[in-house]
Amino acid sequence: MDVMKKIVKDRIVLVSILFLSLLMLGIIFANVLSPYDPNKQDIMNKLAHPSSEHFFGTDMLGRDIFSRILYGGRVTLLLSFLIVFLILLIGLIFGGISGMFGGWIDATMMRFCDLMLSLPNEMMSLCIIGILGPSLLTIILALTLVRFPWYVKMIRTEVLNYKTKNYVVFSLSSGKSKGWVFKEHIFPPIIRAIIVYSTLDISAVIMSISALSFLGVGIQPPTAEWGRMLNESREIAVVEPWQMIPAGITLFLVIAMLNYIGDAVAEGINEANSE
């Protein structure tokens, strides 16, 4: 509760939460709020400027940009939440096992994680997608594989920190299983750190998804996605530069606000722990 009180005093955080909440509602109810089919082409009305009929105008195929922003958010945001959830789940399982059991299990997992982290994330993602072909499944697989080792090491470190606490040592020495000790004594306190890390990582995953789509190896047309929309508008940026503004501004605001919220949560938790 102390953390929440510190967070709600920050007006920028409140504005960020309000904006993201409204955006999520718009994305969820896109089929109600969207005035047009996001993939419907109207060549006779292409590159129309923003108006009461088309809030953000139309693209080079005559598709309504406002509708594509809403439907594109379903792909960008929901896919990023799914990927972060998978990364977090894998990190909890392997990080918890590594920290609780130690020995050769810990050494093997850490060497594997070190190997994966020594490779450039972007290059690894591109290689995986290049081999398997662009699709939703390969994007999830690629981004999960290149990011989960960091979570494993982070959660392992948190487990080792709490493993030396007197009440944990007592529980282990009294015959309690390591799984029970992890569930009852270690998982509850580290969940705060996990929330902070995952909140900050959502914005990084959004950027990765959009970057892959912008390069043409992520979400494929005609599916609306913010990075893909930037790629399509880039082709006519010289003559119609305003085409890049809706998707670019939306992507910038979402990432900036998620980062600010994550920083505020981290700061609030650190202040609460220091009191």
Side-chain angles (χ1 to χ4, degrees), residues 209-250:
I209 294 171
S210 299
L212 290 172
S213 298
F214 182 81
L215 293 173
V217 296
I219 305 301
Q220 297 300 295
T223 303
E225 195 278 328
W226 295 339
R228 185 71 202 179
M229 292 174 67
L230 282 173
N231 177 280
E232 293 169 350
S233 60
R234 174 185 58 84
E235 300 175 7
I236 55 172
V238 176
V239 293
E240 298 287 353
W242 62 271
Q243 284 273 311
M244 303 188 72
I245 293 177
I249 291 295
T250 302

Side-chain angles (χ1 to χ4, degrees), residues 64-167:
D64 183 66
I65 296 177
F66 177 73
S67 301
R68 291 181 65 78
I69 289 289
L70 292 181
Y71 279 92
R74 286 185 174 182
V75 178
T76 306
L77 294 182
L78 297 182
L79 188 59
S80 65
F81 291 149
L82 174 60
I83 291 172
V84 170
F85 173 77
L86 291 175
I87 295 170
L88 182 57
L89 182 62
I90 296 172
L92 273 172
I93 293 172
F94 289 99
I97 292 173
S98 182
M100 291 302 298
F101 287 88
W104 67 268
I105 296 177
D106 180 38
T108 302
M109 288 187 180
M110 290 304 99
R111 296 299 75 77
F112 174 77
C113 290
D114 290 339
L115 174 64
M116 293 293 293
L117 292 173
S118 67
L119 302 172
N121 287 356
E122 293 78 10
M123 187 62 68
M124 281 288 293
S125 299
L126 289 172
C127 288
I128 294 171
I129 295 174
I131 293 172
L132 300 178
S135 68
L136 279 176
L137 184 59
T138 53
I139 292 172
I140 294 172
L141 178 63
L143 294 182
T144 301
L145 283 177
V146 301
R147 303 188 76 86
F148 88 85
W150 186 83
Y151 271 72
V152 172
K153 291 180 71 71
M154 177 269 294
I155 292 173
R156 169 189 176 267
T157 301
E158 294 289 338
V159 171
L160 292 178
N161 288 338
Y162 284 97
K163 193 177 176 181
T164 58
K165 301 292 184 181
N166 290 335
Y167 59 88

